[in-house]
Amino acid sequence: MTQTTQGAVSAPLDTNTLKELVRILCGDDHLLYRPAYKIAEFLENAGWRNLPEIDGESRAEWALDRLMKRRTDSSALESVLLRLADAREYYEEPEQLPKVLSAVNGFLVHEGLRLENPGGRPRLVACDPALGHPGQHAPVELKATMSDIVRDERMAALLEHRLDEARTCFANGAHVAATIMLGSLLEGVLLSAVQERDATLLGKKNPQNITLHDLINICREAAWIDADVTSFSHALRDYRNFVHPHREYRESYRPDRDTFNVSWHVVNGALNDLAATRPRAATH
């Protein structure tokens, strides 16, 4: 069952937003292509009924006319957006789903909305429109997936989920929670890297009690992360400690959007470094 933030679409979407939505719905050489009958089928799957037949119109014109006629019907538009994030639309080409999500969110952010599919459950959430302005949110590009860094599939999935949660926290203005989540993620990734690559580097330290400070230094000494990432990782470690309210109280500082942006740079840089330095699996 699809999920949504109640009333996420609280006002009619801009005409240009609807045009972009139709472009994604129709597809092209890069996104899932839908012929006319598939577009009608898509809308029916989204819960739309009594659709007129296409009569001399192009599929894009027909689809845009349908959306324009119901642009004030927030539940109808939400159902279309959620269906675009529904894995059941991509059984034959599952690799298309993340491409569609990226394409939709590229313009939907200007409406203060974001389409997500955590754990295969589509949802539409409110987000900060500033995410759509590169000058205000321009993180280092993440070039690696968690599975490129951590071999344990279960741990890789868990860490990827934490990364998604950090994004969700930030999109909803929860900057303290987002920054703490990034610090937690960094600790988990570094510990996994050490345990999988060379657990002897932990020395006599108990993996359950080792500090993020130690993990950062171990990974730097092993040349798995660069010096700049090391330096800024220690700063993120300090922000991660805001998980303790009294720490935030003593320092009279609350992490904000800029704090998260810097932290995002740090984590992405660390993940890219770890992926680039991951030992190749032995071949026989």
Side-chain angles (χ1 to χ4, degrees):
M1 180 179 293
T2 55
Q3 297 182 353
T4 179
T5 299
Q6 186 67 34
V9 180
S10 58
L13 299 181
D14 185 81
T15 299
N16 287 336
T17 298
L18 293 179
K19 288 180 179 178
E20 284 296 298
L21 187 55
V22 167
R23 181 180 65 83
I24 304 301
L25 183 56
C26 289
D28 53 27
D29 292 338
H30 304 290
L31 295 174
L32 181 65
Y33 179 88
R34 290 184 177 88
Y37 80 94
K38 280 288 187 180
I39 296 175
E41 183 179 285
F42 173 94
L43 292 176
E44 290 175 353
N45 288 339
W48 289 35
R49 298 291 179 263
N50 302 317
L51 295 170
E53 294 184 3
I54 297 179
D55 184 15
E57 305 166 281
S58 71
R59 60 199 177 99
E61 290 174 335
W62 181 87
L64 181 59
D65 189 47
R66 304 282 73 72
L67 295 184
M68 289 295 291
K69 287 185 183 309
R70 302 186 69 172
R71 66 180 304 189
T72 60
D73 186 343
S74 61
S75 62
L77 293 181
E78 286 181 6
S79 69
V80 171
L81 290 167
L82 289 169
R83 189 67 192 183
L84 279 173
D86 196 318
R88 292 173 293 184
E89 280 292 317
Y90 310 94
Y91 280 143
E92 297 181 359
E93 299 182 61
E95 73 282 356
Q96 288 287 343
L97 177 54
K99 295 180 182 179
V100 169
L101 285 174
S102 177
V104 173
N105 286 328
F107 60 83
L108 197 60
V109 64
H110 300 292
E111 300 282 357
L113 297 169
R114 179 177 177 81
L115 195 58
E116 300 180 343
N117 187 335
R121 295 170 296 179
R123 68 185 183 189
L124 188 63
V125 300
C127 73
D128 186 344
L131 286 167
H133 301 281
Q136 294 176 295
H137 183 69
V140 172
E141 178 185 1
L142 180 57
K143 302 175 182 177
T145 63
M146 210 62 69
S147 59
D148 293 327
I149 303 165
V150 178
R151 288 197 173 95
D152 185 314
E153 293 182 1
R154 183 181 170 196
M155 178 57 72
L158 186 155
L159 293 170
E160 189 70 43
H161 182 67
R162 293 214 169 191
L163 189 61
D164 288 340
E165 287 201 349
R167 291 192 185 100
T168 300
C169 288
F170 176 68
N172 287 279
H175 302 123
V176 176
T179 303
I180 290 172
M181 187 63 70
L182 286 181
S184 170
L185 166 69
L186 181 63
E187 182 174 31
V189 171
L190 295 183
L191 178 56
S192 294
V194 174
Q195 289 179 313
E196 291 186 351
R197 298 181 187 190
D198 187 355
T200 64
L201 296 177
L202 294 174
K204 296 182 179 180
K205 293 182 173 66
N206 185 333
Q208 303 301 318
N209 299 322
I210 193 168
T211 65
L212 178 54
H213 177 276
D214 288 337
L215 289 170
I216 294 170
N217 291 337
I218 289 172
C219 288
R220 174 55 189 155
E221 290 170 6
W224 296 335
I225 58 176
D226 291 338
D228 57 342
V229 168
T230 300
S231 177
F232 289 113
S233 291
H234 281 298
L236 174 56
R237 173 178 57 83
D238 288 336
Y239 292 133
R240 191 283 309 268
N241 288 337
F242 277 29
V243 69
H244 305 292
H246 283 279
R247 176 67 178 271
E248 182 180 340
Y249 178 81
R250 287 197 306 272
E251 299 195 13
S252 300
Y253 173 73
R254 176 181 292 273
D256 55 16
R257 178 190 297 162
D258 292 333
T259 310
F260 177 87
N261 283 340
V262 171
S263 302
W264 187 261
H265 277 270
V266 173
V267 170
N268 280 5
L271 295 178
N272 288 337
D273 284 354
L274 289 170
T277 58
R278 174 178 168 176
R280 298 194 177 194
T283 57
H284 300 283

